[in-house]
Amino acid sequence: MPIVDAPEQFNQEDLYLDLHSTMDLPVYLKCEGFNFAGSIKLKAATEMVDAAERQGLLSSDSILIESSSGNLGVALSMIAANRGYAFECVTDARCNLATRLLIESMGSRVKVITEGHPERGLLGARLDYVRERCESDPRYVWLNQHANPNNWKAHYRVTAPAIARRFPKLDVLFVGAGTTGTLMGCARYFRQTHPGVTIVAVDSVGSVTFGVPAGLRMIPGLGAGVRPALLDESFVDHVVHVPEAETVRVCHQLARTGFMFGGSTGTVIAGARRWLAEHRPTGQVTAVAIAPDFGERYLDTLYHTNWVREFYGPDVLDGLSTREQYTH
């Protein structure tokens, strides 16, 4: 076992869940999140902070600031606490309570934006707030995960090569689209080193990332109200949009087999199922999907029956199990 003195030094990179038995799906799920931050965002956070330090952007009185739906905020709060920086995470009401409490427990500040921009939604309002803070105080340093190339470089350098080593004959890779850092890093790597791999981006219905109309989204992680600056669609072969109700059903279906994942994972699996049914109906394929995190931080939303029924209707969980559906 490794011995570490900083949280970012440990990350389990080579764990995959075979979805053949649990979902009857020919997909290997790359399980990110076995690290001290609990998600894939630890990689991007580390890469961006390291780059800012190399460039001389950070000093002892710097205040890191970032817009995050949750997981990057946890990772940055952890790194900031370990390295002695102040950190302010700008999020909105969709961020899970457990995530906000984690960030605050490490000494960071959480700013919750409650009013969305009339055209760019909650993300647009979050970004406006960050810009205002940076303009008002020179101590603020904005890493800007939505446009920072070190976001995708983390996955070009670490995530994608790990998949290629484990699956040298990979046919298809399914990646969720949030900031598109993971998507772009993996897509660039495979385009350059294994051009035969099909890259499928999975997004939420209501996200504007790939040019569809904006709509209400309640599950944090994937999707965006503002097109990510990192996105280059030339590296993406196919895009699948998944309704959030389907995300909920997939997450609960997996939970009933003993595996709890976050909403982004449910969306990616649902997207993989949709794409494979159309493009590989025989199932003769080697496919990997990336699971960014686990489900414990979503107990008061995604896995809370009353919350689910309020936003997705009373029948959304019907038929998942022969057991009675209990109300929390």
Side-chain angles (χ1 to χ4, degrees):
M1 295 297 290
I3 297 175
V4 303
D5 58 13
E8 67 272 18
Q9 292 173 0
F10 172 76
N11 183 68
Q12 171 56 257
E13 194 64 56
D14 197 34
L15 180 66
Y16 295 82
L17 170 62
D18 186 349
L19 293 178
H20 286 80
S21 58
T22 56
M23 301 285 292
D24 192 26
L25 197 63
V27 174
Y28 298 100
L29 189 65
K30 188 178 192 305
C31 300
E32 300 282 349
F34 280 109
N35 56 52
F36 287 102
S39 82
I40 195 172
K41 288 292 189 177
L42 181 60
K43 298 175 188 176
T46 303
E47 197 85 12
M48 291 190 296
V49 173
D50 285 350
E53 290 180 337
R54 289 194 302 269
Q55 295 163 17
L57 300 177
L58 296 173
S59 62
S60 58
D61 65 343
S62 292
I63 305 171
L64 289 169
I65 188 167
E66 187 56 73
S67 165
S68 170
S69 62
N71 282 336
L72 184 73
V74 172
L76 284 174
S77 65
M78 186 172 291
I79 293 171
N82 184 257
R83 301 190 188 187
Y85 300 119
F87 171 57
E88 180 174 354
C89 179
V90 183
T91 188
D92 59 58
R94 294 171 298 184
C95 180
N96 300 306
L97 175 60
T99 299
R100 299 202 300 267
L101 293 176
L102 273 171
I103 294 170
E104 292 173 337
S105 72
M106 286 178 278
S108 297
R109 180 174 184 264
V110 177
K111 171 64 178 179
V112 179
I113 300 297
T114 57
E115 299 269 340
H117 185 277
E119 296 177 355
R120 297 179 291 118
L122 285 166
L123 176 57
R126 280 161 39 186
L127 297 177
D128 288 346
Y129 176 87
V130 172
R131 292 187 186 98
E132 291 168 4
R133 296 294 274 183
C134 292
E135 291 170 359
S136 66
D137 189 335
R139 294 177 300 168
Y140 278 95
V141 177
W142 182 19
L143 298 173
N144 194 0
Q145 65 164 329
H146 303 278
N148 191 327
N150 294 293
N151 183 349
W152 68 258
K153 287 178 181 178
H155 304 289
Y156 181 94
R157 186 175 62 84
V158 180
T159 308
I163 295 171
R165 286 193 301 270
R166 182 63 180 83
F167 297 96
K169 296 183 179 180
L170 182 68
D171 296 310
V172 187
L173 178 64
F174 298 97
V175 189
T179 65
T180 68
T182 307
L183 173 63
M184 286 293 96
C186 291
R188 288 173 186 272
Y189 177 87
F190 280 104
R191 178 66 60 85
Q192 293 177 12
T193 63
H194 301 74
V197 174
T198 299
I199 302 296
V200 180
V202 183
D203 200 7
S204 299
V205 169
S207 166
V208 305
T209 298
F210 293 97
V212 300
L216 179 65
R217 293 177 293 109
M218 295 304 302
I219 300 174
L222 297 190
V226 178
R227 179 183 169 90
L230 295 177
L231 177 62
D232 183 341
E233 290 188 60
S234 69
F235 289 97
V236 178
D237 297 300
H238 298 271
V239 179
V240 180
H241 285 91
V242 175
E244 285 193 336
E246 192 170 340
T247 293
V248 170
R249 287 182 60 84
V250 168
C251 286
H252 282 257
Q253 183 180 352
L254 268 174
R256 280 159 177 72
T257 68
F259 294 100
M260 288 189 67
F261 288 95
S264 298
T265 299
T267 302
V268 172
I269 293 174
R273 184 163 58 188
R274 283 171 170 245
W275 189 91
L276 289 167
E278 178 179 353
H279 297 275
R280 297 288 196 280
T282 63
Q284 300 300 311
V285 63
T286 299
V288 169
I290 297 177
D293 64 359
F294 296 100
E296 293 91 339
R297 295 175 188 172
Y298 303 83
L299 293 177
D300 59 337
T301 54
L302 181 62
Y303 290 102
H304 194 294
T305 307
N306 287 346
W307 186 91
V308 168
R309 288 174 174 167
E310 176 183 354
F311 289 106
Y312 305 105
D315 303 326
V316 66
L317 298 179
D318 287 358
L320 289 181
S321 172
T322 56
R323 300 173 184 175
E324 181 181 357
Q325 301 292 326
Y326 290 94
T327 299
H328 292 276

